[in-house]
Structure formats: structure tokens, C-alpha cells
Amino acid sequence: MPITTTRRRLLAGSVATLALPAFARAQGAAKPRLTAISQWSAGSDGAAITALGKKFEEKGGVWQHSPVPGFTTEMMNKLRAQIMAGDPPACSQLKGPEIAAWSKIAPTVDLDAVVAAAGYEKVVAPDLAKLHKPAGKWIALPLQIYSTNMLFLSKRAMDKAKADKVPVTWADFNDLAEKMKSGGVNHPIANGGTRPDDGQKFEAALAGISPAAYRAAIMNLDEKALKGPEIKAAFAQVRKIADWMDPNVGAQHFSTNLKRFVDGDMGMMIMGGWAQGVLRNAGFKFEDFVIAPGPSDNSKPVFLLNADAFIFWQRKEPDLQAGQTLMAQLVMDPAIQTMYSQITGSIPVRTDVDLSGEGWSEGQRTTAKALKDAIASNQAVLSMAHNMAQENGMTAAMIDVITEYVKNKSIKPEQAATRLAEAVEGAR
Amino acid sequence: MIWVPLLLSAAHLISFSLWTIWISFTPSTLIPVSGWVGLRNYSAVLASRNWQIAFDNLLLFGGAFVVLSAATGLILAILLDQRIRGENVLRSIFLYPLAVSFVVTGTVWSWLLNPGLGIQKLVHDLGWTSFRFDWLIDRDMAIWTIVIAAIWQSSGFAMALFLAGLRSVDADIIKAAQIDGAGPVRIYRRIILPSLWPITITVAVIQLQFAISTFDLVRALTNGGPGIATQLPALVVYDLMFQRSLLGRGAAAAVLMLLILLAVLLPYAAWRYIQRRRAAHA
């Protein structure tokens, strides 16, 4: 039980804190200590960060992780409260453009020296690196990567459709969905009904149709691109996807329907790589499904990046500063990234980690290869639905339009495109 | 020394309200900052689609919920008032939903109303396959699922107040009417129900202020969806403040909610004042 472990760890941590001042004085040198907050408390996420904490302790550190379970916003509320009280954690979970936004409200740690010593910059995707050094200096470190547009195919649904070819383009995808429908798969698309779920459908469609249009419209908010034909085409594709989904899902989480997906009652799922970990935790086998990069009309993989990261907040205490250095070294360490990703089902941030060994799944190897290919063809872009492309306010304004469009079939693709451009204008 | 806690709570209430009002005029985003942007936050909120939908929903939900929950409560109270056996047990049962948290109510109803899992599926499995009850996923009807769950939760409360009102009607008047030959329907219509007016207004005001601040129920039941069809003002405030990190705009939306509340409470206070004046003169 990860929760029990965390609690025990917390307890051990707090006892250690009480003992620490005397201990440090006696030693004369600071024993590394790290206060950290994240939302990872249970499941594979909880297990992974607990394992990271154990490594931290093995190196002689004191690990004080306070998980804030629930949505990311709840973790952020705690972080906000601690920052306003002048007592930020030494390190906290934060990702994407929020790193830049939050770094303006409290001083962060300059990690340039420790990053340079590890030679980390060479092995990180350039767009990703930029997010973690908003003012030119490294202040945060990415920990693991997911792609939000992986395509999961149910083996049983493929059998029903008498198909064995993995779709590459959206046209292939639409063909396969039709085949599944006529082969007796009730809902060719498996889905949940949450906001990010709907957002992922759109970003996968747009980036698959044109990564360049995605970069211009969604990442750079270019006005002309936002009114371009690719946006309308993406909305039209989303309508097709929505028509193949089970309308009864309401506001359910995607994991509610995994059994129906594996059973072949639902056919394909466009979901982040984390679904692999969820499927595995739910007791399903790798033989039940196939993982492939999401559809891409130019046949080269498009990778919608989502990366979890830690931001480091400035503290005066020498033991916390020592803890921050140790933590940074651990997070960049290929062995630690391997351990972490093998627990959660993500892929390492470092592009030089070898995934051929045991402990990696076929899905992870496919994902890592997709990332490498996508970087090579400049088709690795930042996920909008998971708050990597824009700050939360802009993302929420875009998803408002998308989620309404997914659920309201009377809205035309052209109307949706106009509304998206207006929403962006309003949130600027 | 009743004024000490009163003073404390008033100070607490007023200071936080003033603080929110102040924030609503600042350019605050992630954290509160000083500065002055005039009414810009207000115009941004009022112009947003989310708020417009939330406000329309509030009118519909507030109206339907207040009328229907009062009506259900009144009918339950009248039925319970017939000197029936097991009244105490029934009263507890009807009042019990009030003890359940709105999050629980919302979650339970979200399963019951889900067409693929709940009532519709049950009826289908029983053999009536053309039966449709899919309001939860129907944009136009989804707001009514919130009305249903809210009525289930709080009509027991209205019932309890109405029951107390029914019991306080002077038995002598009723007896006099019976001697004059009035039937039960006539007695209810002409004597008992008119005497319930003050209670009806109290019930309506209490339910209305609840309707305006509804948050947890919607969050658990539809989370504002399908799409953004069931947004309510409290959801918009939370969304702006904590999900979009726009403290200033969220505060502006919160102040707008306060204004809506005052639009209900001030007339009520005036009405109470006039009533009391009249009673003193009579």
C-alpha cells in the first residue's frame, strides 16, 4: 500500500526534523533535507515518488514529502498558501508555462551549475528545456514524459473488425473506426468525459493534421493560424470522433471504461501514455491492446509532450540547500529516471536512456522512439489539454470551446473555429 | 454576552467581504497584488460565456428548485399531518437526506441518472427498451438533474418547517369551520394554507440563498457539463480563482454573487421589518 508507506515516511520525516537541528550542530555540516509537495499520493505515481524518496534517503538525505491528493489545483492552493506565508517548500511539483508564471511570485533556485555538471541540456528536447529555464536559467527540472496522443487499440475490437494494420493517418483511423462499427464494436472510440479528455481529442486531431499549424495556433497563438483551415479540419475530425464515442459517459474518468475497451465493446482510445500504467494496474495484459503513436497525416510521428517537473524554491537553510542539490542530481540521473518511468509507465526525459532492457514495455519503447523521431522531424509539440502549451487561464478558455463542441452536435466546425479564436482573444 | 461572538463573526464576515471587493478591483492573478484596474474584471466576467450560461442557469435552477422543493415539502407535510401511524419514522426518513453531504448526493445521483448505468438501464433491462431518461447527458435538460437531486436533498427541510406551521394553526378555528360545514379541502384552502405564508417566504429565502451558493452538488453531479451547460456562479468563481489563477476576476464574480444574494435578502429584510411594524401597531 503506497499510502501507508507515505504516511510512515512522513512520520519518519517529521521525527527526523525534530531531531535535526541538534544533529546538524553536532555534525558541523548540513545533512541534506528536502521539503517537497506534489499531488502524487497513491497508485503508481505515489509508488514512484516514494521510491525516489528512498533513493534520497540512501544518499544520506532527510525526505519530507507532503502529498496533496486530488487535482493539481489543490496542490497549487497549498503551494500558493506556503509562498504567501513566506515558507515555500524546497521543491514542488509544477509544470509547463506555470513554471514561468509562478517563478515571478517567489525567488527560485539557479540550477545552471548543477545542470551543466550533469551535461543534462544536451539530452532534453529543446522545447521542453525552454519551459524549465523561463528567464534563461534552469529553475526547474523535468522528471518524466508522457505523450498525450498515443493511440491504444483493443485487440478484441481489431479482431471484430478483421483488421491488423495500425492506422497511421487520420484517414486510416477513420476507416478502421468504420470497420469496427460494422464489425460489431458498439463504440469504436473509448473515452471519458472530462475536460482534458475532450481537449486531447482536439489537440491530437490538429497536431496530426498539421504540426506546424498546431505550433502556430495553439503554442504561439498566431491570429492567422487560429483562423486557418487546419483548425476547421481538426474540429471536423473531432466531430467524427465524438460520433463514435459512447454518449452515456457523462463526466466520467476515462479509466471507468477500460474494461469495455479491453473486451472489444470499445475500439480505440486516444489517451496519454499513463493509460498503460492504469491498464496494467487494473490487471489487464499487454496482449489485450496495442500502443502506437497518434494519427499523423504526414506519416511521421507527432508527439504531444506532457512532462512532469519539479521547481526549486529559494531557501536560506543550509540543510535544505544541500537537499536541493542532491534532489537535482537525482532527478537528472539516468538510473533514477529509469526507475521512475518503469514504475509509472512514462518515458525518461533523457533521450539517451536505453529502453531495450527488461523492465520496459513495448508501449514505452514505441513512445520513446516516437519522441526521438518527432524531435528529428520537428514534430514534438507541447500539449494544450495538459497545460504544457499555455498558462492555465488560456488553456481553460480554449477547452471551454472544445468541450462544448464535443458535447453539442449542433455546433458546426466553422462556428467552433470562430469561437476558439474569440476565446483566445478574450483570454489574452 | 451574546454580542461578543456576534461581533467576532460580523467582523470576520465583513473583513473578508471587503477584502474580496478590494481584490476584485486589482489586477491580481496568481496571488493578491495591489493596483487598480477599475471595473475591468467585472466587464470581463460579465462578457464571458461561462458567466452568462451560469447566470441563466441560476435563474432557472433557483426558480424551479425553490418552487418545487417548497411544493414537495408542503405536500409531504400535509400528508404527514393526517395523524398517521409511524409519523416519527417517516419524518426522520424524509429529513434524512439533509444529513447527507451534497458531494455524496451528487455522486449517487450521477450514477442513478447515468443512462448507461442507472435508471434508464434498469428500465431497459426490465424489458421497456424504448424508455429514455438521459437528461444527465442532454445539454438542455442536464440542469434539471441538479434540480431533481437538490429537491431530493432538501424538500425534507421544507417539510419540517411546514409541518411546524401546520401544527401551530389554532385548532379552535378549524373546529369552528368544521361546525360551519366546511370540508377538508376548503379548510386547507381558506384557513390553513393562508396562515402558512410567513413560513413559505422563510422557506423560499433559505432555499434561494442555498441555490445561489450551490457548488458541491453540481461539481459532483455534472461538473458543469455536458460541455459547460450546467455552469453555476459558484463554479465560475472557483474556476476563475483556482483553475485559471485569475484571482481578480474570480473575486469580481464572487462580488456579483454577493449582489445577487443581496437582491434576495434585502427585500426579505424589508418585508420582515414592515411585518414587525404592522404587528407592533396592531
Side-chain angles (χ1 to χ4, degrees):
Chain A
M1 278 294 287
I3 294 181
T4 346
T5 329
T6 313
R7 217 173 265 159
R8 197 186 323 136
R9 209 156 286 289
L10 258 172
L11 204 64
S14 35
V15 171
T17 333
L18 290 175
L20 195 72
F23 183 68
R25 237 174 284 132
Q27 293 275 304
K31 182 177 162 128
R33 176 169 72 97
L34 193 80
T35 48
I37 62 176
S38 79
Q39 69 184 111
W40 302 311
S41 64
S44 54
D45 284 330
I49 196 157
T50 305
L52 175 60
K54 208 169 262 168
K55 293 283 177 204
F56 190 87
E57 282 170 347
E58 274 170 23
K59 299 269 179 193
V62 178
W63 177 252
Q64 297 173 326
H65 175 229
S66 322
V68 188
F71 293 103
T72 319
T73 42
E74 268 129 277
M75 185 278 302
M76 284 180 168
N77 283 343
K78 171 127 170 52
L79 180 61
R80 188 189 338 258
Q82 279 190 248
I83 287 177
M84 282 166 70
D87 180 30
C91 149
S92 74
Q93 170 201 356
L94 206 66
K95 67 171 201 182
E98 292 297 307
I99 292 170
W102 287 71
S103 71
K104 290 183 195 124
I105 65 172
T108 49
V109 179
D110 177 358
L111 298 168
D112 271 0
V114 54
V115 170
Y120 197 49
E121 186 144 7
K122 293 192 296 287
V123 292
V124 178
D127 268 331
L128 196 58
K130 229 184 289 167
L131 288 175
H132 298 83
K133 33 189 259 188
K137 282 186 191 317
W138 285 85
I139 58 168
L141 294 171
L143 171 72
Q144 58 175 349
I145 290 181
Y146 289 107
S147 162
T148 69
N149 65 328
M150 295 310 283
L151 181 61
F152 292 72
L153 302 164
S154 162
K155 276 273 177 68
R156 289 189 186 91
M158 293 286 276
D159 292 345
K160 281 187 191 174
K162 297 194 178 54
D164 52 6
K165 237 187 86 208
V166 173
V168 176
T169 64
W170 280 112
D172 299 346
F173 176 92
N174 296 340
D175 272 355
L176 180 58
E178 286 296 349
K179 270 192 204 152
M180 283 183 170
K181 187 88 198 168
S182 48
V185 178
N186 282 328
H187 305 290
I189 307 292
N191 67 292
T194 59
R195 289 169 58 93
D197 227 298
D198 293 337
Q200 269 172 262
K201 304 283 181 303
F202 175 78
E203 65 181 6
L206 180 58
I209 289 168
S210 164
Y214 182 90
R215 200 181 289 271
I218 306 298
M219 288 168 63
N220 301 333
L221 302 179
D222 179 71
E223 221 170 302
K224 229 179 99 214
L226 273 163
K227 289 176 180 150
E230 292 91 350
I231 303 278
K232 276 171 221 155
F235 274 116
Q237 178 62 43
V238 171
R239 172 66 72 233
K240 284 188 185 147
I241 295 174
D243 285 339
W244 284 316
M245 302 191 313
D246 181 356
N248 293 344
V249 293
Q252 284 167 3
H253 192 251
F254 81 91
S255 59
T256 317
N257 295 314
L258 286 181
K259 190 178 174 322
R260 296 171 65 195
F261 165 73
V262 170
D263 288 346
D265 181 41
M266 294 175 153
M268 300 186 265
M269 178 165 71
I270 299 165
M271 192 35 73
W274 55 84
Q276 187 192 326
V278 182
L279 277 160
R280 211 167 39 179
N281 273 346
F284 298 116
K285 297 190 191 69
F286 286 126
E287 299 89 73
D288 292 329
F289 56 93
V290 178
I291 305 179
S296 163
D297 284 351
N298 64 20
S299 305
K300 283 180 249 161
V302 174
F303 198 101
L304 277 157
L305 269 165
N306 180 22
D308 287 314
F310 285 118
I311 182 169
F312 293 76
W313 301 102
Q314 231 172 66
R315 299 289 314 205
K316 290 202 179 63
E317 300 83 339
D319 56 338
L320 286 177
Q321 288 175 350
Q324 285 172 331
T325 310
L326 174 56
M327 177 70 168
Q329 287 163 343
L330 284 178
V331 168
M332 293 184 289
D333 187 333
I336 297 286
Q337 291 196 0
T338 300
M339 174 200 79
Y340 208 95
S341 290
Q342 287 185 345
I343 298 175
T344 60
S346 64
I347 61 167
V349 174
R350 297 182 72 112
T351 47
D352 63 345
V353 174
D354 176 20
L355 274 72
S356 61
E358 228 175 293
W360 296 103
S361 72
E362 210 42 59
Q364 282 166 310
R365 285 186 202 115
T366 311
T367 313
K369 184 172 177 318
L371 177 62
K372 226 172 212 167
D373 294 348
I375 292 176
S377 54
N378 199 23
Q379 300 202 146
V381 288
L382 300 170
S383 159
M384 177 267 298
H386 288 271
N387 296 314
M388 292 295 287
Q390 297 294 339
E391 284 180 21
N392 290 349
M394 180 59 80
T395 305
M398 289 184 179
I399 294 190
D400 274 349
V401 175
I402 295 164
T403 189
E404 205 184 358
Y405 175 78
V406 169
K407 263 104 188 181
N408 183 352
K409 307 212 159 152
S410 68
I411 305 177
K412 300 265 165 304
E414 299 77 41
Q415 269 174 301
T418 315
R419 279 192 197 173
L420 185 69
E422 282 168 7
V424 168
E425 213 40 61
R428 242 186 246 268
Chain B
M1 293 296 272
I2 190 161
W3 60 273
V4 176
L6 200 69
L7 201 71
L8 272 175
S9 55
H12 175 258
L13 190 79
I14 291 168
S15 61
F16 276 112
S17 303
L18 288 177
W19 190 78
T20 306
I21 293 170
W22 172 65
I23 291 294
S24 74
F25 289 104
T26 66
S28 304
T29 52
L30 264 181
I31 54 167
V33 294
S34 51
W36 183 262
V37 294
L39 289 172
R40 206 191 302 158
N41 286 327
Y42 288 88
S43 53
V45 169
L46 287 172
S48 76
R49 224 178 125 62
N50 261 313
W51 176 265
Q52 287 158 6
I53 290 173
F55 189 75
D56 290 349
N57 278 340
L58 179 62
L59 292 183
L60 185 73
F61 168 68
F65 166 66
V66 169
V67 171
L68 294 176
S69 74
T72 318
L74 182 59
I75 291 168
L76 286 177
I78 291 176
L79 292 178
L80 267 188
D81 196 32
Q82 306 306 316
R83 314 250 171 261
I84 49 171
R85 233 189 299 168
E87 187 202 311
N88 284 338
V89 176
L90 287 173
R91 203 173 44 202
S92 312
I93 290 176
F94 288 128
L95 208 51
Y96 190 69
L98 204 64
V100 177
S101 139
F102 270 112
V103 175
V104 178
T105 304
T107 310
V108 169
W109 279 97
S110 79
W111 292 102
L112 281 176
L113 293 169
N114 188 301
L117 303 160
I119 296 168
Q120 181 179 311
K121 180 161 191 306
L122 181 75
V123 177
H124 281 195
D125 290 350
L126 289 175
W128 182 8
T129 48
S130 61
F131 174 80
R132 269 170 65 95
F133 186 51
D134 57 357
W135 290 3
L136 189 71
I137 55 160
D138 182 333
R139 281 175 314 108
D140 299 321
M141 299 304 286
I143 188 76
W144 291 97
T145 62
I146 297 166
V147 176
I148 292 173
I151 289 175
W152 177 83
Q153 170 107 358
S154 62
S155 54
F157 165 70
M159 177 204 75
L161 290 193
F162 280 126
L163 196 57
L166 288 174
R167 294 280 153 84
S168 67
V169 176
D170 194 342
D172 289 343
I173 302 178
I174 298 176
K175 269 194 195 119
Q178 276 168 340
I179 290 165
D180 285 345
V185 175
R186 204 175 156 89
I187 292 177
Y188 266 106
R189 215 159 50 92
R190 305 302 288 268
I191 300 172
I192 300 180
L193 293 187
S195 71
L196 289 181
W197 259 122
I199 291 179
T200 311
I201 291 186
T202 308
V203 167
V205 169
I206 292 175
Q207 303 281 55
L208 205 56
Q209 61 88 25
F210 155 74
I212 293 168
S213 57
T214 297
F215 174 76
D216 30 11
L217 181 64
V218 201
R219 178 124 173 138
L221 187 55
T222 64
N223 200 9
I228 50 174
T230 52
Q231 283 286 6
L232 281 177
L235 239 67
V236 175
V237 171
Y238 176 82
D239 180 52
L240 285 172
M241 279 194 174
F242 300 116
Q243 257 156 346
R244 307 194 184 197
S245 295
L246 296 167
L247 268 187
R249 281 195 200 176
V255 172
L256 289 173
M257 269 179 76
L258 181 68
L259 293 179
I260 301 173
L261 258 180
L262 288 180
V264 173
L265 292 180
L266 286 183
Y268 177 65
W271 177 78
R272 286 285 300 269
Y273 178 74
I274 293 168
Q275 286 254 312
R276 220 170 293 152
R277 282 279 295 263
R278 259 197 215 141
H281 281 294

